[in-house]
Amino acid sequence: MHDLSAFRKAEIPPPAMLARKPEDAAMEEEALRELLLLLKKRRYAFVTPTPLSHSRILARDAARPARDLRDVFGWNRPFSPDLLDRSVMECLKRAEMVEHRADGMMRSRVRVSSLDDDLFLHSSYPTVDRDAVFFGPDSYRFARLIRQELAMRPARRGARIADMGAGTGVGAIVAARSCPQACIVMTDVNASALRFARINAGVAGFGASYVLADTLDPVAGDFDLIVANPPYIRDRQGRAYRDGGDGHGAAVAWRMAESALSRLKREGRLLLYTGSAIVGGADALRARLSALAESRDCTLCYSEIDPDIFGEELEGPAYRDVERIALVAAIFTRRH
């Protein structure tokens, strides 16, 4: 599990968080914004599958280079230097997001996924780096959960919204689309994630505050709505987007819930989308979250979205006593 204590009080001063000159970082971010806008104009769309599905698709014709934009920015295949039009190629170069290969081919160092009319930048395939930023099936399910909840009970106009562990910013952007004039805060322990989130939100038409932290501790004030899609797998590679820490990967989700519930306004909600390891038929996370809700004067609606995910993880030593990993939604509402 990561030691996150050093990040708790660090606020992101966009766009200079990464190790380069502020003016260079600003130019790179502007190039990535232009790239997303160009792809939107070209009606680019790509639904990102799981990494296992991605690898299987590439394995069908491993030597084939990219033929179109979906191959370049979706499947992340190598491409010939003359495949992309000049404007798209210039954006990649200015953003320093093009990899030059020894065989003369190129490869994008970013991928782009679509969700309805929005596009989301995220890391290239495979997402093996510790600071990789992932967008995939969980992102789509998380978005659906937020939409369904806000359709049943809309947030008030101008609501204050926080997205904890924002990643690409999908939770905040989807919530904001259902809430006119929302005031948005995004937090994450990964500076690369906040960089992508800032670009994605800007292209979607939303401004926000960005804070490098694992909880809401550095952020002032309370919230009408908090959404969170924390990592929930005990990841052997320690990747920030995937490693949920102790308790079979539940530690980050628990810490986020504990932080968020103390920051809800009256009738404010926390929408927690996460996974829970089931041991001997018992859901330990559900029991802990139920007790936490009662202690914080909140109601809890808890449900399984999918009873069995990431079955391959059960082969690892961290899951030797686990019978299944359930995908769950925990919706907290503050009473008073």
Side-chain angles (χ1 to χ4, degrees):
M1 183 177 174
H2 297 306
D3 178 7
L4 306 177
S5 58
F7 294 107
R8 284 186 180 271
K9 302 299 181 182
E11 185 168 355
I12 285 284
M17 206 50 224
L18 302 183
R20 54 192 176 284
K21 295 179 181 179
E23 57 270 25
D24 292 339
M27 290 175 59
E28 291 168 15
E29 289 197 17
E30 182 57 32
L32 289 173
R33 288 189 189 93
E34 289 179 22
L35 173 64
L36 285 190
L37 291 170
L38 287 170
L39 292 179
K40 285 175 75 73
K41 286 182 180 179
R42 287 156 174 74
R43 300 182 183 276
Y44 172 91
F46 185 84
V47 175
T48 301
T50 65
L52 282 176
S53 291
H54 196 135
S55 68
R56 288 166 179 150
I57 296 300
L58 294 185
R60 289 177 182 173
D61 193 358
R64 180 175 76 78
R67 296 171 179 165
D68 54 26
L69 291 173
R70 295 179 78 252
D71 277 349
V72 173
F73 296 108
W75 295 115
N76 216 186
R77 288 182 181 272
F79 62 92
S80 170
D82 60 0
L83 176 68
L84 300 179
D85 65 61
R86 180 179 296 179
S87 56
V88 173
M89 194 69 226
E90 281 297 317
C91 287
L92 274 181
K93 288 179 177 178
R94 284 192 288 118
E96 296 190 2
M97 286 296 176
V98 61
E99 171 190 324
H100 296 266
R101 292 160 44 107
D103 60 2
M105 301 290 279
M106 295 180 173
R107 188 168 179 267
S108 172
R109 292 175 53 213
V110 290
R111 282 184 288 168
V112 180
S113 296
S114 57
L115 173 62
D116 298 329
D117 293 331
D118 291 314
L119 296 181
F120 293 85
L121 284 165
H122 55 108
S123 298
S124 61
Y125 175 85
T127 47
V128 294
D129 295 336
R130 289 174 66 88
D131 66 345
V133 184
F134 185 72
F135 187 104
D138 269 332
S139 308
Y140 295 106
R141 290 187 290 247
F142 183 41
R144 188 181 307 119
L145 173 66
I146 294 170
R147 280 203 208 94
Q148 289 174 345
E149 176 65 16
L150 293 182
M152 290 187 295
R153 197 177 126 212
R156 67 175 181 83
R157 188 177 186 85
R160 196 156 187 252
I161 298 172
D163 186 353
M164 300 179 67
T168 61
V170 62
I173 292 169
V174 169
R177 289 222 173 276
S178 300
C179 181
Q181 298 181 6
C183 177
I184 305 168
V185 176
M186 299 192 209
T187 72
D188 206 293
V189 297
N190 183 354
S192 296
L194 289 178
R195 183 190 189 206
F196 282 141
R198 183 165 54 244
I199 296 166
N200 294 334
V203 171
F206 298 106
S209 298
Y210 303 88
V211 181
L212 191 68
D214 62 323
T215 68
L216 289 172
D217 290 355
V219 184
D222 294 333
F223 294 88
D224 300 279
L225 178 67
I226 301 173
V227 299
N229 173 16
Y232 54 80
I233 296 296
R234 191 62 191 269
D235 186 44
R236 282 168 281 187
Q237 294 172 269
R239 289 166 290 185
Y241 78 87
R242 200 167 190 266
D243 187 8
D246 296 332
H248 299 112
V252 173
W254 166 257
R255 186 167 61 250
M256 283 188 175
E258 193 174 35
S259 171
L261 293 189
S262 63
R263 306 297 296 279
L264 290 176
K265 296 180 180 180
R266 183 176 181 271
E267 297 186 352
R269 282 169 289 175
L270 165 64
L271 311 186
L272 179 67
Y273 170 103
T274 189
S276 183
I278 310 301
V279 179
D283 186 340
L285 180 62
R286 180 173 191 164
R288 290 190 72 190
L289 292 179
S290 296
L292 178 63
E294 192 62 32
S295 71
R296 299 294 177 88
D297 196 25
C298 293
T299 61
L300 172 63
C301 178
Y302 188 99
S303 60
E304 287 193 7
I305 299 173
D306 192 323
D308 183 17
I309 57 171
F310 290 114
E312 67 275 10
E313 296 295 329
L314 304 186
E315 299 174 1
Y319 289 89
R320 64 182 60 188
D321 58 339
V322 174
E323 59 190 52
R324 61 188 175 93
I325 302 171
L327 187 64
V328 303
I331 301 174
F332 300 80
T333 305
R334 187 79 174 265
R335 292 192 183 101
H336 301 101

